[in-house]
Amino acid sequence: MTPPRRRLGATGVLLLAVLAVVPAATAATKTTLRLGSHTMINPTMTPAAVNGLFKASRDAHLGTVRLDVLVSSIFPQPLGLPDWTSLDTVRAAARYHHLQVMAVLSGTPWWDAKCPLGALRSDRCPPGDEAAWARMVEQIAARAPEIRYWEILNEANIVNRKTKMGEYFYGDAVAYARLLRVSAAAIRRGNPRAKIVFTGVIEPYDRWLDRVLAQPGTVRSFDIANAHLRGGIGKLDDMVRVVRARYRARGFRGPLWVTEMGYPSDRYFQWDPAYIGRSERAAQHQQGRFLHKAVPVLLKAGAERVFITLRDFDFGWGLFASEGVMNWPALTVKQAYYTVQGMALRLIQRDARRAARGP
């Protein structure tokens, strides 16, 4: 493997050149670390799209951007040089917009995938050569000191009902625990200041989470617990308390983040009877109302940070397709964007008042 390189790739340099002619008012915008954006930025996006999503996060006063970093896109061939283009694009945007980044690390290269029978995608398989995987991950972490937080896989506990295999990871709880430990150690070698975030568990997670955390050394391998909580507003506080208790029962005492939170703006998929619009405009209003109620509940119940879905999915139909507070790919805002912006501003103002009062 080639040693880690700190300089920006060609695309990153191009993005910095573009940003240099953009008004610098963005840098003065205050943000809150209590709220983040779930952007779904991925390696296929253009520098302009990446910058647009970072800017939208900043303008909404959201302090942390959640995005995807795929090992398979950086190391596509076993003997080839790494392609740092997409990673350097993210780095450039993070530095310009002064935002923290939490990267979801995934994407096993095809040449290092150890896939079970019936696997449909090699990038969701556990690595066959863990030492090779660790070398790649260490290089990535060293290359991108701007990425302060690393989430190891997305929703690794979900099982597809049709295939009976993992939705995002073709491995069981023991395999995830092993991958978590190997990846965490590699990231910390590459960037000792980095923090490790557990995968975002989604209900039902009890047995799976218990088994992962029971594996020797696993509880010490991560710094931040994680859950994706979508439910009725009256249940969210209990959902936070229950998941925190589950982590604590296995010895983890760190903070809990909710790294995905949202509600559809499409009235056909609005599932809460109290928040259903009868027209497109009314449905967008109900999306904002739901978030206005739900996010403070999560924070008050004990979630240290909540990441709100910023943009719609790449496909246009389904329960989660309209969950963003921005339309995609147009990147125009919905009513709920201003709701989120207002919540962030109130958190910033509250923190300023507390700081002014002193200890």
Side-chain angles (χ1 to χ4, degrees), residues 205-265:
Y205 55 77
D206 292 4
R207 292 182 180 178
W208 184 90
L209 181 59
D210 286 349
R211 194 176 181 202
V212 171
L213 299 182
Q215 303 306 307
T218 301
V219 170
R220 296 190 301 274
S221 68
F222 66 98
D223 305 288
I224 299 163
N226 188 7
H228 294 170
L229 305 178
R230 294 177 174 90
I233 291 172
K235 299 178 181 178
L236 287 174
D237 53 352
D238 284 338
M239 293 172 76
V240 171
R241 295 187 182 101
V242 168
V243 73
R244 290 183 69 200
R246 205 79 192 186
Y247 279 102
R248 287 198 301 270
R250 286 293 181 179
F252 181 77
R253 297 291 186 269
L256 170 71
W257 290 6
V258 177
T259 61
E260 286 187 20
M261 173 61 192
Y263 187 71
S265 66

Side-chain angles (χ1 to χ4, degrees), residues 19-221:
L19 294 177
V21 299
V22 176
T26 305
T29 306
K30 291 183 178 180
T31 61
T32 175
L33 293 178
R34 300 299 306 280
L35 300 181
S37 60
H38 167 44
T39 66
M40 292 174 279
I41 289 173
N42 62 68
T44 67
M45 288 187 177
T46 65
V50 172
N51 180 60
L53 289 166
F54 266 86
K55 184 180 185 301
S57 301
R58 183 84 197 190
D59 290 346
H61 310 289
L62 308 178
T64 310
V65 171
R66 181 180 188 248
L67 49 79
D68 292 315
V69 170
L70 305 183
V71 178
S72 55
S73 73
I74 299 173
F75 294 91
Q77 301 298 329
L79 300 178
L81 294 175
D83 181 357
W84 298 114
T85 304
S86 60
L87 187 65
D88 286 346
T89 297
V90 166
R91 294 177 58 210
R95 292 161 102 172
Y96 180 78
H97 291 285
H98 303 279
L99 292 176
Q100 292 188 4
V101 176
M102 182 182 69
V104 182
L105 182 75
S106 64
T108 306
W110 63 268
W111 51 267
D112 190 28
K114 185 179 181 180
C115 294
L117 186 65
L120 301 177
R121 295 179 51 164
S122 61
D123 60 336
R124 295 180 178 178
C125 299
D129 185 342
E130 291 181 346
W133 170 266
R135 287 193 296 271
M136 291 183 286
V137 171
E138 181 178 350
Q139 287 189 66
I140 292 170
R143 175 80 176 192
E146 297 84 358
I147 300 180
R148 185 172 179 181
Y149 303 100
W150 290 92
E151 180 180 350
I152 312 303
L153 303 188
N154 176 62
E155 297 178 347
N157 72 303
I158 297 182
V159 175
N160 186 296
R161 294 180 180 178
K162 293 182 180 179
T163 66
K164 306 302 181 183
M165 300 182 68
E167 186 70 35
Y168 297 109
F169 179 57
Y170 298 153
D172 61 11
V174 174
Y176 176 74
R178 186 173 183 85
L179 182 63
L180 173 63
R181 294 193 302 270
V182 170
S183 302
I187 290 168
R188 287 166 175 154
R189 287 194 299 270
N191 179 7
R193 298 181 61 191
K195 300 294 184 182
I196 310 302
V197 184
F198 199 83
T199 190
V201 295
I202 189 167
E203 293 182 324
Y205 55 77
D206 292 4
R207 292 182 180 178
W208 184 90
L209 181 59
D210 286 349
R211 194 176 181 202
V212 171
L213 299 182
Q215 303 306 307
T218 301
V219 170
R220 296 190 301 274
S221 68

Side-chain angles (χ1 to χ4, degrees), residues 309-340:
T309 305
L310 186 67
R311 70 168 180 93
D312 287 344
F313 277 13
D314 296 315
F315 52 86
W317 187 255
L319 182 61
F320 304 110
S322 67
E323 195 178 81
V325 296
M326 301 186 73
N327 299 295
W328 178 260
L331 272 187
T332 54
V333 300
K334 303 178 187 178
Q335 294 180 42
Y337 179 86
Y338 298 110
T339 301
V340 172

